[in-house]
Amino acid sequence: MTVFDQLSLDGLRFNLTSEKNSAIPLDFFTPPSANSASFCLPNHSTTVRRPFPLSHGTTTLGFIFQGGVIAAADTRASAGGLVACPAVHKITPIHSHLVVTSSGSGADCMLWERILTREIRLYQLRHRRRLSIRGTAKLLSFMLHPFKGTEVCVALTLCGWDKESGPKLIYVCSDGARLQGDIFSVGSGSPYAYGVLDGGLKWSLSKDEAISLAREAVFRATHRDAYSGNNVDLFHITAQGWSQRKREDLKEEYYRDMEKRSKDRRGKIKRE
Amino acid sequence: MCSMAEYLDESPIQFGQISTIQSSSAISSQESILSPSSLPTSLPFASSQSVPLPFPMSHGTTTLAFMFQGGVLAAADTRSSCSGLVAHLVGTTSGTSADCALWKRILARELRLYQLRHGRRLSTRGAAKLLSHMLHPFKGTELCVAATLCGWDGGEKLSFSGPGLFYVCSDGTRLQGTLFSVGSGSPYAYSILDQGVRWGLTVDEATSIAREAVYRATHRDAYSGNCVDIYHITSNGWTQKANIGEYFGEMW
């Protein structure tokens, strides 16, 4: 019965949807407040104990260059020391010109990506135009805001192409940050990726150079970070939309790298 | 301060040892004033009661060291310290700056004493073991020192010679390796080093990779910065490369 058409935040009121007949009851989006009768106090003794520590290990990155936007990520989902899944999709398309890379809690990211996709599609149907990337980021940030201070943990990078303003890269996280930039890397492997990206990134890269730079950055991060690994996913977004590169197993890359190093050590090949 | 001079003369293994019986009695009897006769001669005063720190200790730095065909290269930003210990050894340290400065001096002193007593230099491996054993009594305290010792061992008497690179840390780690990077900026440096470090590098290539790695780390890490110190260790000893300013490298 309750329709999520108004949200009150410390006196700020804004309408997220103007329709009165949104069929899905969205009250589950609202975090428990002190007034709610069914709310139990944030006392750890009454909340359910986690069976394993949640982990936020990942490496995702995105950058803008002359040929569009590149988004890359590893595919490992870890839970404490266990590799829960070696083949996860951390980059999800929202619509034809927007993909989002996710890091943080896997469950939260999956849910919020679906919520975002739904809201964007509803906007498009109601207003007959697509919401801009900046508007999408703002919408997501405002939807996440009520959950600030709870244990929701999502850090998403929206990588897309606006018809009006070209390539865009915006980082949104559940802490409330919303940042536009040219290069972002998120996750436990991000420092390793930053080192490679900062060294190699130029505006004038060709498409192949940009793709190999992104692959190299994810590979170096997976090499050093225990919580990143397995494969690398790569998306390239241009004015024509996104295209996905075939998923590559980084094990092969590692073997090639080791082979090259051992050859060099044995002195069999000339240094290039 | 005559008791200080006494324990400075003791052999290094006993330095700083805190006996458990004394420390537990010290904790339980904090109200009573410890009479001079009950004070153990080797117990540092600071361990009887812990003083709250006035500000959080910073461990921000970026140091790195790697081996290649031309010897060992060590580099650090100048917010940490990288300096020659003795003629054939260079140490980079990170962690609490005060602890690092002190332990560097202690190690240098012990190495020199060893050389005078035994007539030969201690190998890099031996220096690492010595430092590790000296730091061991402080395991569990707030001491924080992480050092990479880079050296070139020579001499016909030794069964091993050539370049040596060891990482020693105050939590007891002692590792031998060919590539190390330590500090808050180390992840940024690691990816550059993993890309570029190969055995067959020339000295100039190795220097530029080390400089690039520290520069990238100082660019992204708030706790690293200023200039880059680079040291090159060969069989002839160590030489310091030019101290390169932060804005010297290519800007992007």
Side-chain angles (χ1 to χ4, degrees):
Chain A
M1 184 217 98
T2 323
V3 168
F4 190 46
D5 58 359
Q6 278 185 149
L7 183 64
S8 172
L9 301 165
D10 303 333
L12 256 178
R13 292 162 79 87
F14 58 93
N15 282 325
L16 275 190
T17 81
S18 54
E19 296 298 309
K20 293 181 194 61
N21 55 350
S22 322
I24 301 173
L26 298 178
D27 54 349
F28 71 87
F29 287 164
T30 318
S33 65
N35 309 329
S36 159
S38 60
F39 174 67
C40 59
L41 293 165
N43 186 350
H44 286 292
S45 59
T46 57
T47 55
V48 180
R49 247 171 48 91
R50 291 208 195 102
F52 47 78
L54 283 186
S55 178
H56 307 263
T58 188
T59 307
T60 72
L61 60 93
F63 59 86
I64 298 181
F65 71 114
Q66 57 79 20
V69 190
I70 297 278
D74 73 308
T75 60
R76 177 176 288 182
S78 51
L82 169 71
V83 176
C85 177
V88 159
H89 294 271
K90 296 190 190 177
I91 312 186
T92 320
I94 302 279
H95 57 71
S96 64
H97 286 73
L98 175 62
V99 307
V100 58
T101 73
S102 57
S103 72
S105 153
D108 288 336
C109 285
M110 275 187 214
L111 174 67
W112 282 101
E113 279 161 13
R114 287 181 67 108
I115 293 170
L116 183 65
T117 312
R118 178 187 164 274
E119 289 299 325
I120 296 302
R121 183 67 179 138
L122 282 172
Y123 185 96
Q124 188 178 1
L125 290 170
R126 286 173 191 141
H127 299 90
R128 292 185 210 196
R129 64 175 185 88
R130 201 173 250 171
L131 191 55
S132 66
I133 312 283
R134 289 186 59 190
T136 312
K138 215 175 246 191
L139 176 65
L140 179 62
S141 185
F142 287 172
M143 286 200 289
L144 283 171
H145 182 78
F147 297 91
K148 188 173 160 70
T150 67
E151 285 179 13
V152 170
C153 180
V154 294
L156 309 176
T157 317
L158 305 175
C159 320
W161 189 290
D162 274 335
K163 219 172 2 197
E164 302 86 25
S165 43
K168 272 277 187 304
L169 188 62
I170 308 185
Y171 168 73
V172 180
C173 100
S174 50
D175 295 336
R178 180 165 48 91
L179 304 168
Q180 182 178 338
D182 290 332
I183 172 174
F184 282 109
S185 176
V186 190
S188 57
S190 63
Y192 306 99
Y194 269 128
V196 174
L197 285 174
D198 287 341
L201 185 59
K202 285 184 273 293
W203 177 260
S204 56
L205 289 173
S206 74
K207 176 182 160 197
D208 290 330
E209 285 171 346
I211 287 178
S212 80
L213 179 69
R215 270 180 65 228
E216 176 79 6
V218 175
F219 169 61
R220 293 289 160 209
T222 58
H223 180 55
R224 284 284 175 184
D225 179 34
Y227 299 113
S228 309
N230 298 106
N231 309 310
V232 56
D233 276 334
L234 248 160
F235 277 69
H236 179 214
I237 303 102
T238 57
Q240 282 74 42
W242 58 260
S243 61
Q244 182 178 8
R245 213 172 126 86
K246 188 161 159 332
R247 172 175 278 196
E248 284 181 59
D249 194 341
L250 288 171
K251 186 175 59 174
E252 310 298 324
E253 182 72 31
Y254 175 72
Y255 286 144
R256 274 199 295 269
D257 199 52
M258 285 293 117
E259 184 63 32
K260 207 160 33 144
R261 272 169 209 279
S262 70
K263 272 195 192 145
D264 192 53
R265 183 138 194 161
R266 292 197 295 265
K268 290 213 175 116
I269 58 167
K270 208 164 127 58
R271 231 179 25 261
E272 49 271 4
Chain B
M1 297 295 278
C2 55
S3 62
M4 291 280 286
E6 276 168 4
Y7 80 74
L8 278 175
D9 288 333
E10 287 168 4
S11 90
I13 302 302
Q14 288 181 16
F15 176 77
Q17 249 180 352
I18 303 167
S19 72
T20 48
I21 303 165
Q22 298 293 350
S23 60
S24 61
S25 68
I27 290 166
S28 61
S29 61
Q30 277 177 12
E31 317 313 314
S32 62
I33 298 167
L34 294 167
S35 62
S37 57
S38 70
L39 276 175
T41 52
S42 63
L43 185 65
F45 287 84
S47 64
S48 55
Q49 269 175 335
S50 63
V51 180
L53 297 173
F55 47 81
M57 291 291 189
S58 64
H59 304 243
T61 186
T62 307
T63 75
L64 61 93
F66 59 88
M67 260 204 264
F68 67 113
Q69 57 81 20
V72 189
L73 205 76
D77 68 315
T78 49
R79 289 189 192 173
S80 63
S81 59
C82 179
S83 64
L85 282 171
V86 288
H88 67 296
L89 257 190
V90 165
T92 73
T93 51
S94 68
T96 318
S97 322
D99 290 333
C100 291
L102 176 66
W103 281 98
K104 208 180 260 279
R105 285 178 65 108
I106 291 170
L107 183 64
R109 174 186 161 268
E110 291 301 327
L111 291 175
R112 181 69 181 136
L113 282 172
Y114 185 94
Q115 188 178 0
L116 290 171
R117 286 175 189 142
H118 297 89
R120 63 178 180 88
R121 282 181 191 154
L122 193 54
S123 64
T124 318
R125 181 186 297 267
K129 207 175 251 189
L130 179 65
L131 180 61
S132 181
H133 289 176
M134 285 199 291
L135 285 171
H136 180 72
F138 295 93
K139 188 173 157 74
T141 66
E142 284 175 13
L143 186 69
C144 181
V145 175
T148 56
L149 299 177
C150 326
W152 189 293
D153 305 321
E156 315 76 25
K157 281 192 257 184
L158 297 173
S159 55
F160 40 80
S161 60
L165 178 55
F166 291 84
Y167 168 70
V168 179
C169 172
S170 52
D171 60 13
T173 314
R174 179 163 52 89
L175 300 170
Q176 179 180 11
T178 54
L179 174 74
F180 286 111
S181 176
V182 191
S184 58
S186 66
Y188 306 99
Y190 262 128
S191 51
I192 301 286
L193 293 172
D194 285 340
Q195 266 188 317
V197 169
R198 265 168 252 290
W199 183 257
L201 292 170
T202 66
V203 175
D204 287 332
E205 285 170 346
T207 313
S208 79
I209 286 177
R211 198 186 81 198
E212 171 84 9
V214 177
Y215 174 67
R216 291 288 149 222
T218 58
H219 179 67
R220 283 285 175 182
D221 181 32
Y223 299 114
S224 307
N226 293 357
C227 308
V228 183
D229 279 332
I230 299 184
Y231 283 74
H232 178 216
I233 301 100
T234 59
S235 52
N236 301 327
W238 55 263
T239 53
Q240 181 179 10
K241 300 284 178 179
N243 193 335
I244 298 160
E246 184 180 339
Y247 295 101
F248 201 88
E250 59 281 2
M251 302 290 285
W252 67 282

